[in-house]
Amino acid sequence: MAPDDRDDEACPPPAPLDWWQRGVIYQIYPRSFADSNGDGIGDLRGILTRLDYLRGAGDSLGVDAIWLSPFYRSPMVDFGYDVSDYTDVDPVFGTLAEFDELLAAAHLRDIKVIIDWVPNHTSDQHPWFLESRAGRDSPKRDWYVWRDPAPAGGPPNNWRSSFGGGADPAWTFDDATSQFYLTSFTPQQPDLNWDNPEVEAAMHDVLRFWLDRGVDGLRIDVVFKLAKDPQLRDNQPGRRHDQDWPAVHERVRRIRALVDEYEDRMIVGEVYLLDLQQLVSYVSSGDELHLAHNFVFVHLPWRASAMRESIGDFERLAGPSTWPAWFLENHDHSRVATRYAGSGGSGGRRTRVATMLVVTLKGTPFIFQGEELGLPDAEVPPDRVVDVDGRDPERAPIPWRRPSSAGPGAGFTTGEPWLPIVAGAERLCVEAQRDDPDSTLSFARRLLALRADRPALQGGSQRPLDAATDVFSFLREAGGRGERLLVALNFSSRRVRARVTLPEGLETRGTLVLSTHAAREPGPIDLRTLTLDPDEGVIVLLG
Ligand code: NOJ
Ligand code: CA
């Protein structure tokens, strides 16, 4: 009997992974993905016509699921995060029938579909709010958070809007009824009153509407805001009263229970709390969220030690039964290539390192559209700024084709794009990268294929390894046959000896299976002499 087989008997294989643990989830911001009708704004049909890019064709990226940012009816003050009808598609994005078509086409290709659910607030044009603001005795008055002004006439407390850097009160005054209503984001996004069971029931109906239609999962917008101090007391330096109130957990549990009535569905929450202990409390009990987006990670400096410590902290707090989720880009944050640009043009290379990190860490990786192209933020001149909170640069449209052949819409649109196309689209577009084996897109395709092929990268255990100061290295190991993959990432823009220390008994020779640098040939290497190029990451198969 081979020694490995004995191991098999000693540790039975772990439970099979769920789809949302195994695969890679790709975030689509529908306004900026692909425009099918020339109005300059991306739409559902545009996504439908680009599914080959994502999965199912020979040169697809190979994603397992897509998360669609909101496409519901909306006045678009917050580009869809201000919903005026939760159960219909905004005409700018298409129709409900087109959504069904997209869902069916995605499922045919084995792509799961996650939609964005925005339960904390509606648009001020939602019929519920129109009714609520119609009078103090409206039957829907209590569906939102209404309060009299403070004695001096100002807002009822010191809560601040999440937009505008904390300068604006989270309250909007209604002249007609002389009361304030709570608006945690823009004044056009009134907060629903989740203390009212009718609101919870109505929002549960929305969930059922989409789950019955067949969506595979929900991303829950600002889930940590679904409970606030019912007494509306002022925020204090050490304690916020406008979010993460204890009742939030029982509310999330009821959402989970509803979702669990359906087979194989998943909820991922936007838990924008910059404290890992608080973040973990939304996933660790096993009956709340399946996954929580970790914003501490997004705010880290580009340093090997910072990444290593934060990942270790998460694991310690979460414990072995909590499944992590990792991302470094989304539609609210400057892209990696710009955020971590460093000096001397490292940005594009760092996107590859970042993507290698999120795709190889234990947990579910989320990739934001355009990350696989290494897109930087777009430059948005003042007269083209449209977002209330400065997030236009990371939301620029996907350049599909070379502007020199397809025109200024870069294959995203035949019209005028709603935001400027990113600089360098000629070289960064899909058309230019698709057949170039050295491109970021080709790298991303190989990286996703490797994860899909290697059980150690999906469900394997993980341990950090000692390495040079600028290098973050870790080992992923699958039980049973003992597949071992080592990841080593150079966070500096210098060439460095990796100096990875392997656990006792492990062979230092292995096979380099992927580098972020196309020039490095796959093949045998000895870890004792491994030197990483500036901003290079590698994956090595041990043994
Ligand atoms: C978080 C979303 O990601 C962001 O885009 C939006 O503006 C706020 N929530 C409010 O819905
Ligand atoms: Ca369109």
Side-chain angles (χ1 to χ4, degrees):
M1 192 194 280
D4 274 2
D5 292 339
R6 265 200 298 276
D7 284 356
D8 274 355
E9 279 169 29
C11 352
L17 298 177
D18 282 308
W19 63 266
W20 48 269
Q21 298 176 302
R22 242 183 348 258
V24 175
I25 303 180
Y26 181 88
Q27 183 192 354
I28 292 183
Y29 192 71
R31 282 186 87 81
S32 299
F33 193 64
D35 172 25
S36 71
N37 63 352
D39 67 355
I41 299 175
D43 43 55
L44 296 182
R45 186 151 299 285
I47 301 170
L48 186 68
T49 58
R50 296 284 183 184
L51 286 181
D52 267 352
Y53 177 70
L54 300 173
R55 188 184 185 85
D59 61 353
S60 301
L61 183 55
V63 308
D64 299 84
I66 51 178
W67 148 30
L68 303 172
S69 278
F71 49 76
Y72 317 106
R73 277 192 189 266
S74 165
M76 303 292 170
V77 172
D78 191 13
F79 295 111
Y81 285 96
D82 49 322
V83 180
S84 56
D85 184 347
Y86 286 106
T87 56
D88 201 3
V89 172
D90 194 274
V92 84
F93 294 125
T95 63
L96 205 47
E98 281 172 313
F99 175 80
D100 290 340
E101 217 184 308
L102 173 59
L103 185 64
H107 283 168
L108 264 182
R109 285 165 196 262
D110 265 340
I111 301 175
K112 303 280 187 187
V113 177
I114 299 161
I115 61 168
D116 217 310
W117 182 53
V118 191
N120 175 71
H121 45 270
T122 68
S123 157
D124 65 351
Q125 300 307 305
H126 195 291
W128 297 341
F129 186 71
L130 296 178
E131 197 182 331
S132 183
R133 86 184 307 174
R136 288 190 181 215
D137 53 3
S138 155
K140 289 226 166 45
R141 188 65 166 180
D142 188 49
W143 278 43
Y144 293 83
V145 186
W146 290 95
R147 284 297 182 281
D148 287 334
N157 65 22
N158 71 357
W159 297 0
R160 303 269 132 196
S161 158
S162 300
F163 291 148
D168 305 324
W171 294 94
T172 302
F173 190 66
D174 177 53
D175 284 326
T177 57
S178 298
Q179 282 194 312
F180 282 93
Y181 57 96
L182 182 64
T183 50
S184 293
F185 295 91
T186 69
Q188 294 82 19
Q189 290 165 292
D191 285 51
L192 283 160
N193 175 18
W194 272 75
D195 293 338
N196 182 336
E198 287 176 26
V199 167
E200 183 166 344
M203 288 311 295
H204 282 191
D205 287 347
V206 172
L207 278 180
R208 290 187 191 283
F209 176 88
W210 292 103
L211 290 166
D212 287 339
R213 273 196 127 69
V215 305
D216 303 286
L218 287 307
R219 177 265 189 183
I220 309 181
D221 190 68
V222 294
V223 63
F224 61 103
K225 282 201 169 274
L226 292 188
K228 299 150 184 130
D229 178 0
Q231 296 179 51
L232 304 182
R233 284 169 293 189
D234 276 352
N235 283 333
Q236 305 293 337
R239 178 65 173 122
R240 285 185 66 158
H241 290 247
D242 61 346
Q243 60 185 36
D244 192 35
W245 206 249
V248 73
H249 295 288
E250 71 216 32
R251 290 175 192 168
V252 176
R253 245 174 253 133
R254 288 194 287 268
I255 292 165
R256 171 66 178 266
L258 186 161
V259 170
D260 280 350
E261 290 171 29
Y262 297 77
E263 211 181 320
D264 221 14
R265 314 295 169 99
M266 182 275 280
I267 46 176
V268 50
E270 184 198 22
V271 184
Y272 211 129
L273 296 166
L274 298 180
D275 176 294
L276 289 175
Q277 180 100 57
Q278 285 173 305
L279 168 82
V280 160
S281 73
Y282 286 75
V283 270
S284 56
S285 64
D287 58 358
E288 295 189 45
L289 301 172
H290 295 93
L291 300 172
H293 280 146
N294 173 357
F295 288 84
V296 173
F297 197 55
V298 176
H299 287 273
L300 293 176
W302 189 254
R303 267 207 314 273
S305 57
M307 298 284 169
R308 179 186 169 134
E309 268 163 41
S310 190
I311 291 160
D313 288 348
F314 179 91
E315 287 184 326
R316 266 187 299 283
L317 289 165
S321 58
T322 302
W323 190 259
W326 302 106
F327 77 103
L328 282 165
E329 291 199 1
N330 77 3
H331 63 297
D332 293 329
H333 293 276
S334 168
R335 287 186 181 273
V336 166
T338 302
R339 191 163 93 229
Y340 297 129
S343 52
S346 291
R349 294 198 297 265
R350 288 182 177 177
T351 302
R352 296 190 193 195
V353 174
T355 310
M356 185 177 267
L357 175 62
V358 299
V359 171
T360 57
L361 276 176
K362 178 172 187 175
T364 302
F366 284 76
I367 291 180
F368 178 45
Q369 66 178 42
E371 182 175 343
E372 76 282 12
L373 301 171
L375 296 188
D377 292 345
E379 286 152 38
V380 181
D383 63 325
R384 296 210 51 190
V385 169
V386 286
D387 180 47
V388 289
D389 206 36
R391 298 164 297 182
D392 297 322
E394 59 266 24
R395 298 177 177 181
I398 295 297
W400 291 97
R401 300 189 49 207
R402 294 186 175 89
S404 59
S405 58
F412 163 72
T413 180
T414 53
E416 170 77 13
W418 75 287
L419 280 173
I421 300 289
V422 73
E426 194 69 16
R427 150 181 76 77
L428 291 168
C429 69
V430 174
E431 183 183 25
Q433 295 202 36
R434 175 169 264 152
D435 303 317
D436 173 3
D438 297 352
S439 70
T440 300
L441 177 57
S442 298
F443 158 74
R445 202 187 286 136
R446 288 194 291 268
L447 177 66
L448 269 54
L450 190 64
R451 181 178 167 111
D453 253 20
R454 294 286 176 184
L457 291 181
Q458 299 166 19
S461 63
Q462 173 169 297
R463 48 178 153 164
L465 301 175
D466 286 339
T469 310
D470 289 324
V471 174
F472 175 41
S473 180
F474 54 96
L475 200 57
R476 300 291 314 276
E477 296 172 279
R481 300 276 145 212
E483 180 180 79
R484 286 194 182 89
L485 286 136
L486 178 141
V487 181
L489 309 165
N490 180 3
F491 280 79
S492 81
S493 298
R494 291 183 305 275
R495 240 175 105 77
V496 294
R497 276 282 299 280
R499 299 182 195 282
V500 177
T501 311
L502 281 178
E504 196 102 348
L506 287 195
E507 189 43 78
T508 60
R509 272 185 290 270
T511 309
L512 188 137
V513 286
L514 184 64
S515 164
T516 55
H517 289 198
R520 184 178 309 246
E521 292 287 334
I525 58 154
D526 190 326
L527 284 167
R528 285 171 301 192
T529 57
L530 175 64
T531 297
L532 296 170
D533 277 346
D535 311 299
E536 185 187 23
V538 296
I539 304 175
V540 177
L541 179 64
L542 294 184

